[in-house]
Amino acid sequence: MAVKANIDSGRWGDPYLDLSTYTADADLMELNMGPQHPSTHGVFRVVLWLDGETIVKAVPHPGYLHRGVEKLCEKLTYVQITPIVDKNDYVAPMLNEQAVNMAVEQLMGIEVPRRARWLRTLLAELQRVASHLLWLGTFGIDLGGALGGGTSLFMYCFRERELIMDLFEGLTGSRFHYNTHTVGGNRHDVPAGWAEQVKQVLTFIERHIDEYVAVLDHPIFEQRTMNVGVIDAELALGLGLTGPVLRASGVDHDLRRDAPYHAYDEIDFKVPIAHGGDCYARYEVRVAEMRESIRMARDLIDGLPEGPLVGARPIKTPVQVKIKSGQAYVALETPRGELGTYVIAGGDNRNASPYRFKIRPPSLHSVSALPWVLPGHQVSDVVAILGSLDPIMGEVDR
Amino acid sequence: MAVDDPGRSYSHPLFDTLERFPGLDLATTTADKLLNWGARNSLWIFPMATSCCGIEFMASAASRVDFDRMGSFTRATPRQADVMVVAGTITVKMAPRVKRLWDQMPEPKWCVAMGSCAISGDFYRDIYSVIPGIDTVIPVDVYVPGCPPNPEALMAGLLVLQEKIALKTAGLKTVPAGRPETAKMISPRIKRVGHPDRMPEIDAAQCAQAMSLDLTEPPDLLAAFTAAQAAAKAAREAAEAAAADAAAADEKGGEA
Ligand code: SF4
C-alpha cells in the first residue's frame, strides 16, 4: 500500500501526515468517531482518515469534558479541594484525594500517623483492583461479541467491583467520591468487622480472576489484541506514558517502588511487567497487577497498626489550613500511571487557597499516543487500542 | 380520551389513521393505552454518559442492580431509544451534540437528568465551560439527584418515569416537577449560552469554534468580542442619549 511508506516519516517526526501528498485517486475517507460513541470511554473524539479499512491518519480531539477544575480549585480552600478532585479520575477517586492531601501535608510539614498511612495504602490498592476490574469489563464490551455475547465479562467484573464499592461504602458512607482523606490523616476509621469483610471479598475476587483469564484464553481474543497497538519502550518514554501502559512496553518503572510514599516501603510487592507493548501485554500487566494488589491488600489489612488516624496537629477546621508560601509536587502511582499534583501556596482567601493548582493526568499522555499508534491499523482495532490505554476523560480534560 | 387531547406531546401514525374513522373511539383509546403500556414497560435507554455519573449508570446496568429486569435496555444509538439518561457534566462544547442526539431520537421520548451536574451544573456551574443543567438545552422529565446517585436511585427515577407515562394514559396531566424549593439553587453568576444578557455574537463564535473541525482557521473570538462590546456600548450610549433628550424635552414641557 502506497500509504504505508508515508507513515514512516520518522519516530519523532510529525505523526500527522500531510494529506496533500496523496494523489487524487487515493480516495481517502474521513471518519468521525465520537464524541458520543459507546467505546470511547466517555466523551472523546478522534477523526480518522481511512484508505479502505486502513487508518492513515488519526487526530484526537479532547476537551468535551473540560470542567475547569484547576481554576475552580484556586478559588476554594485546601480542605474544600478534596471532594472536587475526586471527580477528575472518577474511576479511582481515592488516589486523587490522596495526591492533593499529600501535597498540602508536604507544604505544611505535617507528619501523617502510621495507621493512616497504612489505611491509605490499603485503600489505594483496593481502588486499583476496582479500577482494573472496571477496565477489564469495559474492554470485554469493546472487543464485542467474540467474548461470549459482549456483555458477559462486563457483568462478571461488575459483580466483583460492587463488592469493593460495598467495602468503601461501609468505611466512608459513600459508594463513589468518598472525601475520606483529609489534611494530616483520614476521616473514617475502620468499622467493626470490616477487616473480615475485606478478606472475604479479596478471596472471592482472587478466585474469580482465574475465571476471567480462562474466559479470555481464547484465540479470538488473542488475535484481536496480540500485535495490535504496539508501543515500544522508546515511544512510551518519549511521550511520557506511565503506569501499566509503560510497564507493558518493558520499562520497569513504578513509583510505589521507585519513590515510595505511604507505607509502600514497609511491605513487599512485585512490579509486574510485560514486553510485548501491545494490547495483550497491557491486559497481562493489569491482570497481574490485580493479583499483586490483592496480595498486598491482604498483608495491609493484617498488619494495620494501631494508633490515631490524624496527626499530632489535627486539622479540625478548614480555616486552620493556611500556607503563606512554598510549592509542592506529589506524584502517585494510580491505576493509570503517574498522577502529579503541583501546588503553589499563597492564593486567595487569606492564604487558605492555592495560588496555582496543576494536575498532571496520566490519561492525557496515554491519549496523546494515538496519532502514533493508530496509523496502519484497521478501524476495528481503534476500540481495542483505545480501550487498552484505559483513558479517563475526566482526567484528560479536567 | 387521550387521542382527542390536543396537548399530547407525541404522535403516532396509528392514531392519525384511527382518528379519521368516526365510531372507532373505543379502538383509538385502547390503542393508546396499549402503546403506552408497551412504551412504559420497555424504556430503552440511550446513555448520554459523559463522566462520573456514567460509571454509576454502568453499575445500574450491570449485574447487581440490572435494570434489564424492568424492560430497560441500553442502546448505543439514539435511533433505537426512548429515554435519554443524561449522566454527567455537560460542557458548552458538548451541549450542541447532546441537542443533536436528542433530536435524532424518535418520538415519544423522555429525558432523565441523572446527578447534580446534569440537573444544575453542580459546583461547576460557575465555570466558564459548563452549562448549568441539561434542562437549559433539552426538556427533562425526571430529575435524579445525587453526586452520583446510587443505582437504586436511578431505578427509582425510572419507576417515576413509568408512573408518569401511566398517568398520561389515564388522561391525567402531570405537573412538571421543576427544581425543588428546598434545594435553594443559587443561580449562576456568569450568564450562559442563550441567556438574554449575553452577547449572541460571542455565543455563535464559541459554538462555531466548538463545532468546527478545521483547526487551522478558528473563528476570531477576540474580534467577535470587541465588535459585540462596541455594539453594546453604542446601544447603551444611544439609549442614554435618548433618555437625556426625553428628560430635556420633559423639562421644557414642564417649563412651558
Ligand atoms: S453529579 Fe457528581 S458524580 Fe455526577 S457527573 Fe457530576 S460530579 Fe460526577
Side-chain angles (χ1 to χ4, degrees):
Chain A
M1 215 172 290
V3 177
K4 276 267 181 191
N6 266 329
I7 299 167
D8 228 11
S9 56
R11 163 99 329 144
W12 303 109
D14 185 7
Y16 302 121
L17 299 181
D18 184 6
L19 291 181
S20 61
T21 58
Y22 281 91
T23 47
D25 61 339
D27 196 17
L28 292 190
M29 181 182 152
E30 189 181 325
L31 184 71
N32 199 2
M33 188 172 159
Q36 198 287 317
H37 187 281
S39 64
T40 49
H41 292 234
V43 277
F44 182 59
R45 172 164 161 229
V46 53
V47 181
L48 308 169
W49 275 266
L50 306 175
D51 179 6
E53 271 272 309
T54 314
I55 298 162
V56 296
K57 173 178 169 178
V59 182
H61 290 256
Y64 288 90
L65 193 52
H66 175 62
R67 304 191 274 198
V69 174
E70 290 174 0
K71 194 69 203 161
L72 181 60
C73 289
E74 285 163 21
K75 295 277 166 239
L76 300 175
T77 63
Y78 290 107
V79 177
Q80 287 172 327
I81 290 177
T82 309
I84 304 286
V85 291
D86 266 347
K87 280 93 185 174
N88 284 347
D89 179 354
Y90 42 75
V91 178
M94 285 285 185
L95 283 301
N96 290 267
E97 290 181 7
Q98 290 175 359
V100 59
N101 282 310
M102 280 166 68
V104 178
E105 281 153 13
Q106 194 175 320
L107 276 171
M108 297 182 76
I110 293 181
E111 187 70 20
V112 183
R114 187 151 176 266
R115 183 176 171 81
R117 278 194 285 123
W118 277 64
L119 189 57
R120 284 181 182 188
T121 321
L122 173 64
L123 294 177
E125 291 314 310
L126 287 176
Q127 185 76 78
R128 197 179 312 275
V129 178
S131 170
H132 284 343
L133 278 173
L134 184 130
W135 169 79
L136 190 58
T138 47
F139 196 50
I141 296 191
D142 289 350
L143 291 184
L147 305 170
T151 54
S152 313
L153 198 60
F154 173 72
M155 291 284 178
Y156 288 137
C157 289
F158 264 71
R159 179 184 62 193
E160 272 77 90
R161 186 175 174 273
E162 286 292 319
L163 297 175
I164 299 185
M165 296 290 107
D166 282 351
L167 291 180
F168 287 158
E169 195 173 1
L171 181 74
T172 68
S174 167
R175 275 170 55 83
F176 224 77
H177 300 341
Y178 313 101
N179 197 11
T180 176
H181 297 85
T182 177
V183 180
N186 276 35
R187 249 185 216 123
H188 305 103
D189 206 343
V190 176
W194 196 72
E196 273 313 304
Q197 206 186 337
V198 170
K199 276 189 239 169
Q200 279 173 11
V201 167
L202 291 177
T203 317
F204 185 82
I205 296 177
E206 195 166 40
R207 198 169 70 235
H208 285 282
I209 289 177
D210 296 339
E211 248 174 39
Y212 314 142
V213 174
V215 168
L216 293 179
D217 183 13
H218 192 279
I220 297 181
F221 179 72
E222 284 169 10
Q223 275 168 23
R224 291 219 48 193
T225 53
M226 277 182 176
N227 289 326
V228 170
V230 179
I231 301 178
D232 60 24
E234 190 196 351
L235 180 64
L237 287 171
L239 289 173
L241 302 186
T242 42
V245 183
L246 180 65
R247 289 195 284 277
S249 301
V251 182
D252 195 2
H253 172 77
D254 190 323
L255 288 175
R256 292 176 292 169
R257 185 199 55 206
D258 301 340
Y261 50 93
H262 292 343
Y264 284 114
D265 45 358
E266 298 179 43
I267 55 170
D268 260 356
F269 63 99
K270 289 198 287 290
V271 177
I273 64 167
H275 292 278
D278 54 1
C279 295
Y280 192 80
R282 297 195 266 279
Y283 152 77
E284 279 181 328
V285 166
R286 289 207 175 92
V287 169
E289 245 175 46
M290 256 197 274
R291 293 185 201 271
E292 196 57 42
S293 289
I294 288 173
R295 252 184 304 249
M296 284 159 80
R298 215 176 264 135
D299 288 352
L300 285 160
I301 193 76
D302 280 338
L304 199 62
E306 293 297 321
L309 265 186
V310 282
R313 275 170 60 198
I315 307 295
K316 291 225 181 65
T317 54
V319 253
Q320 287 182 336
V321 187
K322 284 198 173 158
I323 309 164
K324 273 224 179 57
S325 62
Q327 43 184 307
Y329 178 80
V330 165
L332 297 190
E333 186 76 26
T334 76
R336 268 153 281 285
E338 175 181 339
L339 171 75
T341 302
Y342 178 54
V343 180
I344 303 182
D348 275 0
N349 299 339
R350 298 204 202 92
N351 294 336
S353 306
Y355 173 74
R356 176 79 171 94
F357 186 80
K358 165 89 179 96
I359 298 164
R360 180 234 184 255
S363 301
L364 178 62
H365 293 253
S366 323
V367 164
S368 71
L370 287 178
W372 275 271
V373 179
L374 287 184
H377 285 98
Q378 310 266 301
V379 180
S380 58
D381 293 333
V382 177
V383 285
I385 294 170
L386 189 59
S388 74
L389 292 175
D390 192 18
I392 296 296
M393 283 307 134
E395 203 180 38
V396 174
D397 300 336
R398 268 108 75 222
Chain B
M1 292 285 283
V3 282
D4 292 340
D5 180 6
R8 70 169 197 243
S9 63
Y10 57 91
S11 64
H12 191 281
L14 185 58
F15 293 159
D16 301 333
T17 321
L18 291 176
E19 258 177 314
R20 274 195 222 108
F21 297 98
L24 268 186
D25 280 1
L26 187 65
T28 53
T29 315
T30 315
D32 192 18
K33 269 189 183 160
L34 184 72
L35 284 170
N36 264 328
W37 172 81
R40 185 165 86 233
N41 289 303
S42 65
L43 292 172
W44 285 16
I45 295 178
F46 173 66
M48 195 57 245
T50 58
S51 56
C52 358
C53 278
I55 305 291
E56 280 301 71
F57 179 87
M58 278 157 69
S60 325
S63 15
R64 178 177 296 177
V65 179
D66 196 4
F67 50 51
D68 273 18
R69 293 178 287 156
M70 319 191 323
S72 292
F73 192 57
T74 312
R75 303 307 295 164
T77 158
R79 311 243 180 227
Q80 302 170 350
D82 309 305
V83 187
M84 178 188 261
V85 175
V86 183
T89 323
I90 304 295
T91 57
V92 172
K93 196 171 175 183
M94 194 63 201
R97 273 84 171 166
V98 178
K99 177 75 169 61
R100 180 183 290 185
L101 289 162
W102 170 255
D103 291 344
Q104 284 174 356
M105 281 169 62
E107 297 271 358
K109 57 189 172 187
W110 297 274
C111 175
V112 176
M114 177 184 182
S116 2
C117 278
I119 294 175
S120 69
D122 208 352
F123 38 75
Y124 302 115
R125 63 182 170 273
D126 284 342
I127 293 291
Y128 51 90
S129 62
V130 177
I131 64 165
I134 190 62
D135 50 6
T136 55
V137 181
I138 58 177
V140 175
D141 292 277
V142 177
Y143 296 85
V144 184
C147 179
N150 281 1
E152 292 84 359
L154 182 61
M155 289 279 268
L158 288 174
L159 288 175
V160 168
L161 182 59
Q162 292 193 348
E163 227 165 76
K164 191 172 174 177
I165 300 169
L167 280 179
K168 193 176 263 171
T169 322
L172 300 172
K173 285 258 184 300
T174 47
V175 184
R179 291 211 168 124
E181 288 287 308
T182 47
K184 296 261 187 301
M185 287 292 171
I186 308 159
S187 65
R189 286 194 292 275
I190 306 169
K191 304 290 185 292
R192 301 310 150 100
V193 174
H195 193 279
D197 286 1
R198 275 186 68 114
M199 299 169 190
E201 292 85 353
I202 297 180
D203 291 348
Q206 261 187 357
C207 293
Q209 189 177 37
M211 299 290 281
S212 156
L213 232 183
D214 183 11
L215 294 181
T216 49
E217 275 186 53
D220 194 346
L221 277 183
L222 186 63
F225 185 72
T226 327
Q229 260 189 337
K233 192 174 170 214
R236 201 169 52 239
E237 278 172 1
E240 272 168 14
D245 278 357
D250 272 359
E251 257 174 43
K252 274 222 187 93
E255 275 168 23

